[in-house]
Amino acid sequence: MSEFPWLTSIILLPALAALAIPALPDKEGKTVRWFGLGVAIADFALMICAFWQNYDFQDASFQLVEKYAWVPQLGLNWSVAADGLSMPLILLTGLINTLAIFAAWRVTNKPRLFYSLMMVMYAAQVGVFVAQDLLMFFLMWEIELVPVYLLISIWGGPKRRYAATKFILYTAAASIFILVAGFAMAFSGDTVTFDMAALGMKQYPKTLEMLAYAGFLIAFGVKLPIFPLHTWLPDAHGEASAPGSMILAGVLLKMGGYALIRINMEMLPNAHVAFAPVLIILGVVNIIYGACCAFAQTNLKRRLAYSSIAHMGIVLIGIASYTEIGMSGAMLQMISHGLIAAALFFLSGVTYERSHTLAMDKMGGMAKVMPRTFALYTAGAMASLALPGMSGFVGELMVFLGISSSDVYSSNFKVVVVLLSAVGVILTPIYLLSLLKQVFYGKQNEELHLDEVVPDVKPRELFIAASLLLPIIGIGLYPKLATQTYDVKTQQIAAHAREALPVIASEQPSSLYSKVISAPTLADSNIAGAG
C-alpha cells in the first residue's frame, strides 16, 4: 500500500489551483479556461490512479486512510479515508465537475472568478465524501455553499439573486443542525471526540439519539432534497447556468443521500429504527409530489428539477428498506441520477443557447434543425424514465425489490408503498415524453429564428454528452460496473442497521411493523437480533 497522501492531494490540487488562477497572465480568459480544465482532468486522473492502484473492492473497511492534527486546540483533525460508500461518489464528482468546467467553455464574464469558484467547489465536494472528522465534514459542507451561491447570483438567469439567496438561506440555516447535533454527540459520554468512527461506537441516551437524528435529517433533507424542504431547488435550477445545474443535480443532491447513510444510518442505528418508516413515507411523497409538479412546469429546467426531487424519493426508500438489495439500489440510483441529470441539464443548456428561452410552450419543431441534440436528449430522457438497458432502470428495480422483500415491514405497508410509488413511476414517462413533444416536435416557433444560427451540437458538446451517456448505457447493460465498487460496503451497512432491530419471533418475521408503520421503541432495540 502506497504511503502517498492520495486523498489529501485530490482535495488540495483544485484548492491550490483556485489560489493560483488570479495570478495567471490572461486578458481574454483563454489561459484561465485551459488551466481550469487541465487541473480538473489532472485531479480526475489522480482519483482513477489512486483507486486503481490502492483500492480493494472486496474490503469494506476504510482505505487510503490519512490523519493529521489540524487544529489540536479544537480537536479538529485532517482525517480522510474512502470506502465503498464514498469511492464511487468521489469518481462521480470528478467526472461531473470536469465535464461541467468543459461545458463552461463560453463563459466570458469574470472568468478568473468563475473558474476559481469551480475549483473551490470541486475540492469541497470531494472533502465532504472523504472526511472522517465531523468538524472537518461540517467545514467542507459549508465551504461548498459559497461557490454555489456566487455561481448562481453572478452567472444565473434573470431571477438569479432571488434563487441564490433562497439557496443560501435554506442550506446555511439547515447546516446549523449539523453543528448542534454534532457537538451534542461529541460531548456525550466520558470522552469528547469528533472522530466519526468513535462517534459511531458511542452509546447515546435515547432522547439525544432521536434529536440528533432529527437534526441531521433536516440538514441533509434540505440538500437531498426532501419535501417540504425542497423549494429552493426548482428556483436554483431554473436560474443557474448549465454547468451550475450539472453540478447541483449531479453532485450536490448526492451529498445529502451520502450523509444520510454515513451519519444517520451508520452512526445512529437505533434512531434509524424509529425514523425508517418516516423516510419511506417521505420518499413516497417525494416521488408523487415531484412527478405531479414536474408535469405542471412549462420551464424546461424547472421540470427537470422536480424530476430530480421524485428520483431522490426512490433513494430514501432504498435507504430505509433494511435489505442489501435496497441499499445497493439506493447507491446505484444516486450514481445513475447523477449521470442522467447532468446530461439532461447540459443538453437543456445547449437548447437554451440556440433558442434563448426555457419556456417549452415557446419552443417546438427543434428536432428538424437540431437532430443530434434531439437524439441525445431522447437518450437522456429514456434513461430518466427508467427504460430497460439504461442505468435508471436497474437502480429503481433494485430499490422496489428491496422494499418488497423486506421482512421488517408489514405486508399492508409494503403494498401501499409500492402502489403509491408506482403512480409516480407511471407519471415519469408522461412528463418526460411531453417535454420531448413540446420542445422537439410540432410546428417550429418562427420567433426563435433557429435557421439563422448554428443549430446543432458542436464536437465539444457532443463529447460532453457522450461522456455522460456512455456510462449510463454501460451500467444499464452491465450493472456490476457500478455495484462491484460498493456492494461489500452496502451489505455491511444493511447488516449493521439490522442489528438495531428488536427480537422478532422467527415464525413471524414481518410483524415488526404489524400496526402499519408503528416503529418499535429504542428500548426494544437493545435486545439481540431475531432468533
Side-chain angles (χ1 to χ4, degrees):
M1 183 70 69
S2 173
E3 295 183 359
F4 183 79
W6 289 103
L7 297 180
T8 298
S9 301
I10 290 169
I11 297 172
L12 292 183
L13 178 59
L16 294 175
L19 297 176
I21 285 176
L24 293 177
D26 188 16
K27 292 183 179 180
E28 299 178 357
K30 294 181 179 179
T31 303
V32 171
R33 176 194 310 163
W34 281 106
F35 179 78
L37 180 61
V39 170
I41 293 174
D43 207 46
F44 186 45
L46 193 62
M47 293 177 186
I48 295 174
C49 182
F51 293 128
W52 182 268
Q53 294 184 358
N54 304 288
Y55 191 86
D56 181 7
F57 290 160
Q58 301 307 312
D59 186 355
S61 64
F62 285 105
Q63 304 178 54
L64 301 173
V65 179
E66 303 163 30
K67 187 172 183 179
Y68 315 100
W70 192 2
V71 187
Q73 296 84 351
L74 298 177
L76 176 57
N77 295 308
W78 180 273
S79 179
V80 294
D83 63 357
L85 188 59
S86 56
M87 189 273 279
L89 296 177
I90 295 169
L91 292 175
L92 179 70
T93 300
L95 175 63
I96 292 179
N97 274 273
T98 301
L99 294 177
I101 290 171
F102 200 19
W105 209 244
R106 297 180 64 179
V107 171
T108 56
N109 179 28
K110 303 177 181 178
R112 293 177 190 273
L113 178 59
F114 179 87
Y115 286 100
S116 294
L117 293 173
M118 293 288 282
M119 292 289 104
V120 172
M121 183 167 58
Y122 192 170
Q125 289 166 354
V126 175
V128 167
F129 291 127
V130 301
Q132 296 305 309
D133 183 279
L134 197 55
L135 275 183
M136 179 183 171
F137 174 88
F138 173 76
L139 183 63
M140 293 297 175
W141 188 277
E142 290 297 284
I143 290 175
E144 168 268 332
L145 301 181
V146 178
V148 178
Y149 168 77
L150 293 174
L151 287 169
I152 296 174
S153 62
I154 297 175
W155 291 274
K159 298 180 180 179
R160 57 186 180 274
R161 289 183 177 84
Y162 169 79
T165 302
K166 193 172 184 179
F167 164 80
I168 199 69
L169 288 176
Y170 267 72
T171 51
S175 297
I176 296 173
F177 290 93
I178 301 178
L179 193 62
V180 173
F183 270 95
M185 292 172 62
F187 285 91
S188 177
D190 298 330
T191 59
V192 178
T193 180
F194 291 97
D195 182 79
M196 293 169 69
L199 290 174
M201 295 191 309
K202 279 189 175 185
Q203 295 294 322
Y204 302 101
K206 173 183 174 181
T207 302
L208 173 61
E209 184 165 351
M210 294 289 285
L211 290 175
Y213 191 105
F216 286 128
L217 180 59
I218 293 172
F220 305 145
V222 169
K223 187 77 78 176
L224 192 62
I226 299 175
F227 176 89
L229 307 173
H230 68 286
T231 58
W232 64 271
L233 184 67
D235 293 310
H237 271 309
E239 300 303 320
S241 61
S245 288
M246 290 173 67
I247 296 173
L248 268 174
V251 181
L252 264 66
L253 305 190
K254 312 309 169 289
M255 289 166 55
Y258 165 82
L260 275 176
I261 301 173
R262 173 71 75 206
I263 295 180
N264 288 59
M265 191 171 182
E266 276 200 297
M267 295 168 56
L268 303 168
N270 290 339
H272 186 68
V273 174
F275 278 93
V278 177
L279 293 184
I280 291 179
I281 294 172
L282 290 173
V284 172
V285 172
N286 260 42
I287 293 172
I288 298 177
Y289 173 82
C292 291
C293 288
F295 190 73
Q297 302 303 308
T298 58
N299 180 289
L300 180 60
K301 292 176 69 176
R302 288 180 69 91
R303 177 167 291 197
L304 295 177
Y306 277 107
S307 174
S308 294
I309 294 171
H311 283 92
M312 289 301 97
I314 297 173
V315 174
L316 284 175
I317 294 176
I319 290 174
S321 66
Y322 277 106
T323 59
E324 293 178 3
I325 190 171
M327 280 297 305
S328 181
M331 277 295 296
L332 187 58
Q333 178 71 0
M334 286 197 286
I335 297 169
S336 171
H337 180 265
L339 296 167
I340 295 170
L344 288 175
F345 277 111
F346 169 70
L347 292 169
S348 296
V350 171
T351 305
Y352 175 76
E353 286 185 3
R354 273 66 172 181
S355 63
H356 304 290
T357 182
L358 291 171
M360 291 186 292
D361 52 358
K362 294 183 180 180
M363 300 182 187
M366 299 182 73
K368 296 179 181 178
V369 292
M370 301 172 63
R372 290 194 295 273
T373 303
F374 168 61
L376 293 169
Y377 212 117
T378 300
M382 293 300 106
S384 185
L385 61 81
L387 183 75
M390 301 284 201
S391 60
F393 172 77
V394 185
E396 292 187 18
L397 179 63
M398 292 175 72
V399 168
F400 288 122
L401 284 176
I403 187 62
S404 300
S405 61
S406 177
D407 60 354
V408 173
Y409 304 98
S410 70
S411 298
N412 291 337
F413 181 63
K414 291 188 291 185
V415 168
V416 172
V417 168
V418 173
L419 288 179
L420 290 177
S421 300
V423 174
V425 173
I426 293 171
L427 288 175
T428 302
I430 296 176
Y431 66 70
L432 285 173
L433 294 177
S434 171
L435 181 154
L436 293 174
K437 177 183 177 181
Q438 288 182 268
V439 175
F440 294 102
Y441 289 96
K443 184 179 180 181
Q444 181 180 326
N445 188 341
E446 296 179 357
E447 296 179 3
L448 297 182
H449 303 295
L450 290 177
D451 296 326
E452 299 178 7
V453 297
V454 180
D456 219 345
V457 290
K458 298 177 182 179
R460 173 182 62 87
E461 296 165 330
L462 181 62
F463 173 81
I464 295 171
S467 297
L468 292 166
L469 290 173
L470 285 177
I472 291 171
I473 297 172
I475 294 172
L477 296 176
Y478 189 62
K480 194 175 179 180
L481 286 173
T483 59
Q484 66 180 343
T485 65
Y486 61 75
D487 262 347
V488 174
K489 183 62 181 181
T490 52
Q491 290 170 10
Q492 182 192 68
I493 294 172
H496 175 65
R498 291 184 69 89
E499 290 176 0
L501 294 170
V503 168
I504 304 300
S506 57
E507 67 275 9
Q508 292 182 336
S510 65
S511 63
L512 175 58
Y513 291 98
S514 57
K515 296 180 180 178
V516 186
I517 59 170
S518 59
T521 64
L522 292 184
D524 294 334
S525 67
N526 292 325
I527 309 174

